[in-house]
Amino acid sequence: MKLKTVFSAVFLLAAASVSAERDKEIILWPNGAPTSNGVATDTAKVYVSLPNAKRATGRCIVICPGGGYSHLAMNHEGRDWAPFFNNMGIATVVLKYRMPHGVHQVPLEDAEEAMRLVRRNAKAWNINPDQVGIMGSSAGGHLASTLATHSRGDAAANFQILFYPVITMDPSFTHMGSHDNLLGKGSKKKLEREYSNDQQVTRVTPRAFIVLSDDDHAVLPANGANYYLECYRHDVPASLHIYPSGGHGWGIRTSFAYHLEMMQELRAWLLSF
């Protein structure tokens, strides 16, 4: 085992002992969700992990795992991130959002309600309501960037973290599984443009950290790169990290060749503002 892999594994194990008891499950819509997607067993939930109150920085990150809008990678793209952020004094809220089944409003409704939930509980959870970010991987990155570019008020994000994100819904270079599951097959061009988040960046879009692999053949790197370019064009502070290899879907797994570098760069970015 490589030295950096051993280091990372020990770090994560130690961190897990700090935060494991604070992983609280909350039903997102206890009185019923506003939009039905026809799947009665598909219940939106969040898993809240808070840092020790003495270490709390006031920051919180709502995390959207990926899965092509058909399922969710809840562990390595979701709940496994809590120890890392908690050790930095950052609270995490991992979102188990409902699958859309072609009803495109559903995931964003859940993500926006998760943001509102955080702000409603800001005082009790030692969170600064002006320091609530959104994070997502793959299709979860599309959801995170959708919220970052579309949502306002108590549902808005103050910063965004995107791992190998689906950004566009343009059929020529989107991830077609995510496209079809979110918008439905044969969706209209107008709807595709609305959910092509590189086309929705404005000067009020929150700062971004974008990370991906050059050899990602599942979600083409042009997705994240184009999003960065639009952030740059609109004077939105953004940091883009493209690793030579790794493919798609590595999340926080230590098997990713550039895991340690990625963690250090993410930590440095979070400490930069």
Side-chain angles (χ1 to χ4, degrees):
M1 184 181 288
K2 295 180 180 179
L3 180 60
K4 70 176 184 180
T5 304
V6 173
F7 173 83
S8 300
V10 171
F11 171 80
L12 291 173
L13 183 62
S17 65
V18 175
S19 63
E21 294 183 356
R22 289 186 290 276
D23 194 8
K24 181 180 180 181
E25 178 183 297
I26 300 175
I27 301 296
L28 193 60
W29 303 103
N31 299 316
T35 298
S36 171
N37 60 359
V39 182
T41 58
D42 200 6
T43 303
K45 302 176 182 178
V46 294
Y47 299 88
V48 181
S49 294
L50 304 178
N52 185 288
K54 293 181 179 180
R55 304 185 65 179
T57 61
R59 275 194 180 158
C60 178
I61 299 175
V62 173
I63 302 175
C64 306
Y69 284 123
S70 67
H71 62 282
L72 293 176
M74 287 296 294
N75 294 322
H76 72 284
E77 292 181 351
R79 298 172 75 177
D80 292 349
W81 276 100
F84 170 75
F85 289 122
N86 286 177
N87 266 12
M88 289 188 67
I90 301 171
T92 62
V93 175
V94 180
L95 173 62
K96 179 184 177 293
Y97 53 94
R98 294 169 293 153
M99 297 299 97
H101 303 288
V103 183
H104 60 86
Q105 302 96 326
V106 165
L108 184 58
E109 286 177 348
D110 291 349
E112 288 187 332
E113 181 62 14
M115 299 294 281
R116 295 187 189 103
L117 176 72
V118 169
R119 291 188 167 105
R120 287 198 299 269
N121 289 277
K123 185 175 182 179
W125 294 350
N126 295 311
I127 291 169
N128 179 344
D130 295 324
Q131 286 290 322
V132 184
I134 190 80
M135 169 175 154
S137 303
S138 193
H142 182 264
L143 177 55
S145 62
T146 301
L147 184 139
T149 53
H150 290 67
S151 303
R152 300 291 182 263
D154 287 348
N158 298 112
F159 57 93
Q160 55 182 316
I161 300 169
L162 308 177
F163 284 80
Y164 38 86
V166 177
I167 291 293
T168 187
M169 286 288 119
D170 183 336
S172 64
F173 66 109
T174 188
H175 178 255
M176 285 307 299
S178 298
H179 172 285
D180 292 349
N181 290 326
L182 180 66
L183 305 183
K185 294 182 179 180
S187 57
K188 295 182 178 180
K189 293 295 183 183
K190 181 179 180 181
L191 192 60
E192 289 176 345
R193 286 195 299 271
E194 181 182 349
Y195 282 87
S196 291
N197 296 324
D198 52 332
Q199 298 184 41
Q200 306 303 324
V201 173
T202 69
R203 292 181 183 274
V204 298
T205 298
R207 67 178 64 231
F209 180 91
I210 308 161
V211 56
L212 46 91
S213 295
D214 183 65
D215 64 348
D216 189 340
H217 301 298
V219 176
L220 297 180
N223 280 260
N226 285 353
Y227 193 70
Y228 166 79
L229 289 172
E230 288 302 316
C231 287
Y232 179 83
R233 194 167 73 86
H234 289 87
D235 295 324
V236 174
S239 180
L240 174 64
H241 302 267
I242 304 176
Y243 299 106
S245 63
H248 186 78
W250 28 266
I252 199 172
R253 288 174 174 157
T254 57
S255 57
F256 174 49
Y258 301 93
H259 168 80
L260 187 56
E261 290 88 343
M262 178 272 293
M263 299 287 273
Q264 290 173 333
E265 286 164 348
L266 176 56
R267 180 183 178 89
W269 182 78
L270 286 165
L271 293 173
S272 71
F273 63 95

